[in-house]
Amino acid sequence: MGQESRRVGRPTEHTDARQLLVSAARGLFISQSYEKVSTRKIAQEAGVNVAMIRYYFGSKEGLFETMVRETIAPMKLQVQRLFKDVTHKNLVDLMRTYYQEMSKSPQFPRLVAR
């Protein structure tokens, strides 16, 4: 049997590739500088084809921007709530949200311990 022809473009089945790429990017950008993180490395860490970066984000820059936006989104909501009613508890909740989001990346706890 010959190789099955593959259509280029939009994935035909449900995939978690987008979220896998965001998570992999977060982990790599926490532990390495932007310049040292290649799209090939991100895709490899995510276990997806590097073409998915262009498909979902347009470029490495687009993926980086999405990763930052999604990482800080819970904090942004918490800050908005904080300014409505400033209390000590709100500040603690804000920091808890920050650590919950950042702890999703295995590299983060090691960096905090330094």
Side-chain angles (χ1 to χ4, degrees):
M1 286 190 166
Q3 286 188 348
E4 192 175 305
S5 68
R6 202 175 82 133
R7 289 178 37 196
V8 176
R10 185 174 298 208
T12 57
E13 56 188 53
H14 175 71
T15 177
D16 294 326
R18 183 186 181 284
Q19 191 54 47
L20 290 169
L21 286 164
V22 170
S23 295
R26 182 181 299 118
L28 289 168
F29 288 126
I30 285 174
S31 62
Q32 299 175 37
S33 68
Y34 179 86
E35 295 79 22
K36 291 188 179 190
V37 177
S38 69
T39 54
R40 181 169 278 123
K41 179 66 176 169
I42 296 168
Q44 181 182 7
E45 287 287 317
V48 301
N49 187 305
V50 71
M52 292 292 98
I53 293 174
R54 181 168 298 283
Y55 174 74
Y56 287 112
F57 310 102
S59 63
K60 176 181 167 182
E61 293 82 11
L63 171 55
F64 182 80
E65 181 180 332
T66 299
M67 180 271 307
V68 170
R69 286 180 190 273
E70 289 184 12
T71 300
I72 65 171
M75 286 186 58
K76 182 179 175 184
L77 290 173
Q78 196 71 8
V79 168
Q80 289 169 343
R81 287 186 213 122
L82 174 69
F83 286 121
K84 289 180 182 177
D85 180 31
V86 180
T87 66
H88 174 72
K89 182 183 179 316
N90 289 357
L91 290 172
V92 171
D93 289 343
L94 174 64
M95 291 311 298
R96 185 175 292 120
T97 301
Y98 171 75
Y99 283 107
Q100 285 172 344
E101 287 305 306
M102 294 307 292
S103 69
K104 292 177 183 176
S105 176
Q107 294 84 350
F108 181 69
R110 286 196 313 246
L111 294 174
V112 171
R114 287 184 185 171

